[in-house]
Amino acid sequence: VDGFAYNGTDKPAVLREEGPHNKLRETAYIGDSPDDLPCFEVLRGGGGYPIVSFFASPEFKQKAAREYGAFVPENAQELSLYLARV
């Protein structure tokens, strides 16, 4: 699995940079707060996989699932199974 180390830059911009290389379709992003919603938006437009941390608040889980089609696992096992499929 290829990845990158976050270096403090604008996360949505980093994701958009991958878009022209068609890597968004291979990208899963796990978020747990409203600060992560712009990243979910980028992924939704590029065919990626927005995922909500199972530690996120119920309100955030509902919003991310409803507005961004994010996957909301109940536990680590469910997350692992999902990641194995995508």
Side-chain angles (χ1 to χ4, degrees):
V1 174
D2 288 339
F4 65 90
Y6 177 63
N7 63 5
T9 59
D10 180 22
K11 289 187 278 186
V14 171
L15 289 172
R16 281 191 294 273
E17 288 172 11
E18 295 301 317
H21 308 292
N22 293 319
K23 291 192 177 193
L24 285 180
R25 290 187 193 119
E26 302 170 6
T27 301
Y29 180 93
I30 300 173
D32 63 1
S33 74
D35 292 343
D36 295 308
L37 293 177
C39 293
F40 285 2
E41 179 68 29
V42 171
L43 287 177
R44 182 173 66 168
Y49 303 95
I51 301 169
V52 177
S53 167
F54 40 88
F55 297 117
S57 72
E59 296 82 14
F60 181 77
K61 290 176 180 180
Q62 289 175 356
K63 180 179 180 73
R66 183 179 61 248
E67 295 182 19
Y68 300 94
F71 176 67
V72 183
E74 293 294 321
N75 53 49
Q77 181 180 6
E78 196 172 293
L79 174 59
S80 180
L81 291 172
Y82 176 77
L83 290 173
R85 287 191 312 248
V86 297

